[in-house]
Amino acid sequence: MLPLPPGLRRRLGEGPPPPTPAPPPFAPPAPAPPLFAPSLLPPLPPPFTFAPRRLRLGPHHPLFEDGDVHRHLYLQGVLTSLAEVAERPKVSEFSCHISGCCQVFDTLEGYEHHYNTLHRNVCSFCKRSFPSGHLLDIHILEWHDSLFQIMAEKQNMYKCLVEGCAEKFKSSKDRKDHLVTVHLYPADFRFDRPKKVKSGPKHVSSPTKQGSSMPMDVSVEMSEQFQVDPMEIGPSEHTEIPRPAASPSSSVPEKRLYKSRIPSTICFGQGATRGFKGPRKKV
Amino acid sequence: MWGRRRRGFGPSGSGAEELRARRREREAALRKARRQEQLVSKRLLREDTAAEEGGQDGAEIVPDPLSEDEVLELLRGVQRASEDRKRSLSRLRWALQNKETQQKFVRLDGSIRTLIGLFTSSLADMQMEAARCLHELSHSSDPAVAEACLPVTSYLLTYLSGHSVEFTELCLYTLGNLVVESEAVRKQLLPQGIIPVLASCIQSPHEAVLEGLGYVLSQLLQAKEAPTEIIPHTANAALLSLGALPALTSLLLDLASEIPQDAPEGLELLVCPVLRCLSNLLAEETDCEVQIQDERLLVALFLILQCFLQQHPFIVQECLWLLNNLTADKPFFCSTLLGLDLLPALLQLLPCSQMASVLVLTVLCNIAEKGPAYCQQLHQQPALPLLLPTLTLPNPEVVGQCLELLHLLFLHWPEAAADFVRQGGHRALEQHQSTPELQERARALLDMVGQPLGASTFSPCHATLSAFS
């Protein structure tokens, strides 16, 4: 234990000190001057070299070794002697309360993830959901802003998808080239597929191919068939025509095919945003 | 901090002795890695799958490696849309805990592409499971595995702006792990816009996300190319102008006021980086005088020292380094230290460790150098009875610093020199006449106190200085 003066802790609680610094301790009269004036003494290099200086230490300095080792022991999980078991209580099955969504869950965490990924950042016009507010904003601008196409003819309107990059382009292709060359994005970035002008599927067959050698990718399949917005996560489960899925892995009914032809001005009964406006708001 | 997750795999059945032995082993390995500047640790988030692991003694159970065919079968299983897909994916995740299986998996054609497809799908539970697979891969210490994950990074970044806390957290730790393993990943992440994305993650109200964010940032900053490629040259000046010093001071004060007598385990992990930041920022050469003149900082420092002295002695040297930076230039903290009667506590830290001794003596030198009034107080403490035993230590660096201190004391407060002799200090000095690093200074001190070793060794002028005593 350190011999700290009593009442020390109380000093923390007091407000910031007055601006004037504490005066130095009382200085007694100076000691008698040396018998010989300094100039009579030959200049000898003093063996004492101390000078006070602030020390700046780099990350590999030995002073940090003990602290670093301690921290890494913690990172490696050795510090806790008992494993903290994370229980995920199972609850009886329940389904997502968003109308049109037929997912069921048996854990709260599963539901949370589902809801936060698929029912947030939802476009209020077309109900598609997006991984981020940024992509949602761009979607609304490019798909639902009636002036967009007109303005795009005169100026660069296609915004870069990367947050923090202010570049704009005159076409979706130019934007994609920028993404690939400057931001090193993959050429087949799933959230940047060009908006197809023609609607209609490329193939009518069931989205689920059995035994296919191609990686079965739900969102790729869907987007190629159903003119899905390039930045959408995947077909929204938010459809007004719920049908049993063609396969357990796909929750998108094939009827979705026709929705894209319906003008956006027509509002279905369940078209209202129903209480989760402002998908970008944080809880 | 890690409340929801299982932290490590501590044995539940085996004895404490085995635990200590394992800890010592790991500690030795970490020290060795640090000295080679290869100290790297990754985070692993893993579900509680005690049933799956079936470990009786709770020791790490890693599945055996699968054969190439078995891995291929699992891959096919997750590529096919079928009832079994989810189950195959879970089995894959389990199998990917094994290092060899990881390597085999990434070598399979289309494997990462498949995972990406599932990772970006609209099926939330598949997406989460795919994310966990990627997370296992990120934990690999084989750089080839990390590089196989290069195509994943743009998606990881995209999802960081999402709302699912658990998912975001997983993505953050996966990113952090990949960052540490591969320079190719880092080279790609910066143009992909990792910094703005992380900056917006800071807005998150969720602690888990903030912690993950801290992890990614810390791993980025530890990269060997960080000083040139990632950290701007004017970083410290920018930090100072943004008010980092008052903010950090305030944080340290908060921490110190929170400390109950038995500090909870883990608090030192928080205190330590704050100390380091403060110290280095104070040492920054700036044109404008950057000053904190708040006595509470000193109070906080000593409360922290008191709290962690027993359990975590490494905090002592880090606190003392900060104390040095506070007391080196301006006299404010020197006089505050004396005025608050903290000198006894400081002297008490002398015997803690070699590094602590040197630092305590350096701080005392900082104080003594400020002039006679300060030396008087040091002497009246009394300091000499504690300094004398220091002179007999076998460590030249410690003794040397002690000699510097004595020099300052005698210079400014000759009474100290007289007392020194009365207490027999000169005999301790004589013992160092043959130590190369110390002999000059030892002799000079002996001369100062009027006990020169041999008049012939010195010029006549030196001898007149004995008029001081």
Side-chain angles (χ1 to χ4, degrees):
Chain A
M1 278 297 277
L2 282 185
L4 293 181
L8 189 66
R9 185 178 290 273
R10 259 185 290 113
R11 284 182 175 266
L12 273 186
E14 291 160 18
T20 53
F26 170 71
L35 289 181
F36 291 89
S39 56
L40 288 184
L41 295 170
L44 290 166
F48 299 100
T49 53
F50 175 79
R53 56 192 182 91
R54 291 168 284 163
L55 293 169
R56 183 149 174 218
L57 303 181
H60 300 292
H61 196 274
L63 189 137
F64 300 135
E65 182 177 308
D66 291 342
D68 285 350
V69 165
H70 183 82
R71 173 176 168 251
H72 281 262
L73 281 173
Y74 161 74
L75 287 177
Q76 292 186 0
V78 180
L79 287 186
T80 42
S81 50
L82 284 172
E84 284 165 40
V85 174
E87 285 286 326
R88 296 216 164 186
K90 287 218 189 289
V91 301
S92 50
E93 254 188 23
F94 61 99
S95 56
C96 181
H97 71 276
I98 302 294
S99 174
C101 179
C102 48
Q103 282 289 302
V104 287
F105 310 94
D106 60 1
T107 64
L108 287 172
E109 288 81 7
Y111 172 64
E112 256 182 305
H113 173 56
H114 161 86
Y115 184 88
N116 283 318
T117 324
L118 291 169
H119 299 307
R120 310 281 295 265
N121 295 323
V122 173
C123 175
S124 48
F125 299 94
C126 63
K127 306 293 172 280
R128 292 181 173 95
S129 67
F130 296 86
S132 69
H134 181 69
L135 291 176
L136 171 64
D137 287 345
I138 295 179
H139 158 81
I140 292 178
L141 178 70
E142 293 175 18
W143 281 53
H144 300 297
D145 186 335
S146 43
L147 287 178
F148 180 80
Q149 289 300 334
I150 300 166
M151 290 177 71
E153 283 161 28
K154 300 195 191 108
Q155 53 188 272
N156 293 350
M157 293 288 288
Y158 287 86
K159 292 189 195 169
C160 176
L161 299 186
V162 173
E163 284 187 61
C165 179
E167 295 287 329
K168 296 189 193 178
F169 304 88
K170 68 177 196 308
S171 72
S172 155
K173 176 176 185 317
D174 285 355
R175 169 174 60 200
K176 186 205 194 66
D177 288 341
H178 166 82
L179 278 174
V180 171
T181 50
V182 172
H183 294 297
L184 307 185
Y185 264 47
D188 63 348
F189 188 60
R190 279 152 216 282
F191 302 123
D192 180 34
R193 296 240 164 68
K195 179 177 177 179
K196 295 192 180 63
V197 177
K198 282 204 186 113
S199 61
K202 284 212 173 133
H203 29 186
V204 234
S205 58
S206 154
T208 63
K209 289 186 189 158
Q210 297 289 335
S212 161
S213 60
M214 277 287 292
M216 184 55 53
D217 165 42
V218 177
S219 61
V220 172
E221 289 295 314
M222 291 305 141
S223 69
E224 279 167 6
Q225 290 189 31
F226 301 126
Q227 191 195 326
V228 167
D229 179 284
M231 285 168 275
E232 183 183 357
I233 288 175
S236 172
E237 284 157 9
H238 230 292
T239 172
E240 40 280 288
I241 317 164
R243 271 180 54 177
S247 90
S249 66
S250 160
S251 50
V252 176
E254 288 146 309
K255 216 63 198 296
R256 182 95 172 68
L257 166 69
Y258 302 104
K259 183 176 193 288
S260 50
R261 298 211 196 142
I262 298 162
S264 57
T265 45
I266 303 241
C267 177
F268 292 97
Q270 291 146 2
T273 49
R274 212 176 22 261
F276 54 90
K277 288 195 194 345
R280 279 150 292 155
K281 247 190 253 160
K282 298 252 190 270
V283 172
Chain B
M1 277 189 255
W2 280 68
R4 286 185 297 136
R5 306 266 178 202
R6 197 164 167 178
R7 230 188 291 200
F9 297 90
S12 48
S14 41
E17 186 46 52
E18 191 185 303
L19 185 67
R20 273 197 291 271
R22 269 196 8 197
R23 188 201 162 119
R24 274 196 297 272
E25 261 173 47
R26 293 226 192 184
E27 207 177 303
L30 287 170
R31 277 186 205 280
K32 182 170 167 202
R34 191 183 186 274
R35 284 171 199 170
Q36 295 167 346
E37 299 190 10
Q38 284 171 10
L39 188 52
V40 148
S41 284
K42 291 189 180 180
R43 290 275 192 117
L44 184 60
L45 311 188
R46 226 176 242 166
E47 284 292 291
D48 170 30
T49 47
E52 270 188 82
E53 289 167 23
Q56 291 94 0
D57 60 359
E60 266 181 60
I61 300 283
V62 173
D64 289 330
L66 297 182
S67 71
E68 301 267 355
D69 285 338
E70 286 170 316
V71 181
L72 185 60
E73 195 195 309
L74 275 179
L75 176 59
R76 294 288 173 252
V78 305
Q79 285 173 338
R80 275 191 295 271
S82 67
E83 288 280 347
D84 281 334
R85 192 183 211 169
K86 172 88 199 290
R87 210 174 312 140
S88 296
L89 196 51
S90 295
R91 281 173 51 218
L92 178 61
R93 175 177 56 84
W94 163 242
L96 285 176
Q97 289 179 28
N98 178 284
K99 179 175 172 147
E100 281 179 51
T101 308
Q102 289 169 355
Q103 291 164 326
K104 287 175 188 161
F105 180 77
V106 302
R107 277 187 240 130
L108 286 178
D109 197 37
S111 57
I112 295 290
R113 204 175 149 70
T114 304
L115 272 187
I116 289 179
L118 294 162
F119 181 56
T120 55
S121 83
S122 59
L123 297 165
D125 51 356
M126 295 282 240
Q127 181 182 47
M128 186 65 93
E129 202 65 4
R132 294 191 185 114
C133 289
L134 289 170
H135 186 67
E136 291 290 344
L137 289 175
S138 77
H139 199 254
S140 164
S141 52
D142 180 352
V145 174
E147 290 190 18
C149 293
L150 273 171
V152 184
T153 58
S154 57
Y155 298 104
L156 286 169
L157 289 180
T158 304
Y159 283 124
L160 289 189
S161 312
H163 288 288
S164 169
V165 173
E166 186 186 344
F167 191 63
T168 303
E169 187 191 23
L170 193 55
C171 290
L172 283 167
Y173 284 106
T174 302
L175 257 178
N177 287 345
L178 289 174
V179 156
V180 127
E181 201 53 57
S182 154
E183 190 173 347
V185 166
R186 294 193 295 267
K187 267 199 154 74
Q188 180 171 283
L189 278 173
L190 289 160
Q192 282 181 344
I194 185 174
I195 303 290
V197 163
L198 292 181
S200 62
C201 271
I202 285 189
Q203 315 287 335
S204 171
H206 303 285
E207 201 181 283
V209 171
L210 292 175
E211 207 184 311
L213 164 65
Y215 177 66
V216 179
L217 274 174
S218 70
Q219 299 293 49
L220 261 179
L221 294 170
Q222 282 178 355
K224 64 180 192 323
E225 75 273 14
T228 47
E229 307 288 327
I230 302 177
I231 307 172
H233 289 296
T234 52
N236 281 3
L239 283 172
L240 286 169
S241 67
L242 288 168
L245 269 183
L248 286 166
T249 305
S250 169
L251 178 55
L252 200 66
L253 295 181
D254 285 345
L255 286 172
S257 63
E258 295 289 319
I259 292 177
Q261 282 307 95
D262 305 307
E265 196 57 30
L267 190 61
E268 76 284 359
L269 292 166
L270 184 49
V271 166
C272 188
V274 181
L275 292 172
R276 294 180 182 188
C277 289
L278 263 175
S279 252
N280 264 340
L281 281 175
L282 280 172
E284 190 65 19
E285 289 306 321
T286 48
D287 292 330
C288 61
E289 272 304 304
V290 189
Q291 284 298 319
I292 338 162
Q293 297 214 333
D294 187 343
E295 64 163 32
R296 296 175 302 165
L297 184 51
L298 218 50
V299 174
L301 211 50
F302 276 86
L303 287 172
I304 288 169
L305 275 165
Q306 177 181 72
C307 173
F308 292 113
L309 185 53
Q310 291 295 328
Q311 294 284 80
H312 302 294
F314 73 85
I315 289 270
V316 173
Q317 64 227 31
E318 311 222 6
C319 282
L320 288 173
W321 167 45
L322 174 55
L323 197 52
N324 171 74
N325 286 2
L326 288 171
T327 53
D329 289 348
K330 296 282 156 74
F332 175 80
F333 282 104
C334 295
S335 50
T336 306
L337 197 149
L338 295 172
L340 288 177
D341 194 24
L342 293 170
L343 196 52
L346 181 62
L347 290 168
Q348 186 88 314
L349 295 170
L350 258 175
C352 274
S353 69
Q354 183 177 314
M355 214 182 301
S357 298
V358 174
L359 287 166
V360 169
L361 290 165
T362 308
V363 170
L364 291 171
C365 284
N366 289 349
I367 299 176
E369 189 263 353
K370 301 295 181 289
Y374 297 83
C375 288
Q376 176 192 21
Q377 290 225 345
L378 283 180
H379 179 58
Q380 283 172 351
Q381 183 50 49
L384 281 180
L386 281 159
L387 294 178
L388 286 176
T390 313
L391 283 176
T392 59
L393 289 175
N395 189 304
E397 198 191 349
V398 175
V399 177
Q401 198 64 43
C402 192
L403 297 180
E404 298 280 349
L405 176 59
L406 291 173
H407 167 246
L408 288 166
L409 269 177
F410 301 162
L411 190 61
H412 293 299
W413 195 247
E415 226 183 272
D419 279 344
F420 182 74
V421 175
R422 258 176 254 130
Q423 291 170 34
H426 54 290
R427 283 193 285 275
L429 286 178
E430 279 158 14
Q431 289 176 0
H432 294 300
Q433 53 179 308
S434 40
T435 318
E437 310 98 304
L438 304 172
Q439 60 194 12
E440 258 196 84
R441 290 182 284 183
R443 287 180 192 159
L445 277 179
L446 282 166
D447 203 54
M448 276 178 95
V449 302
Q451 307 279 328
L453 275 177
S456 56
T457 333
F458 298 91
S459 70
C461 301
H462 249 287
T464 55
L465 285 173
S466 62
F468 256 132
S469 58

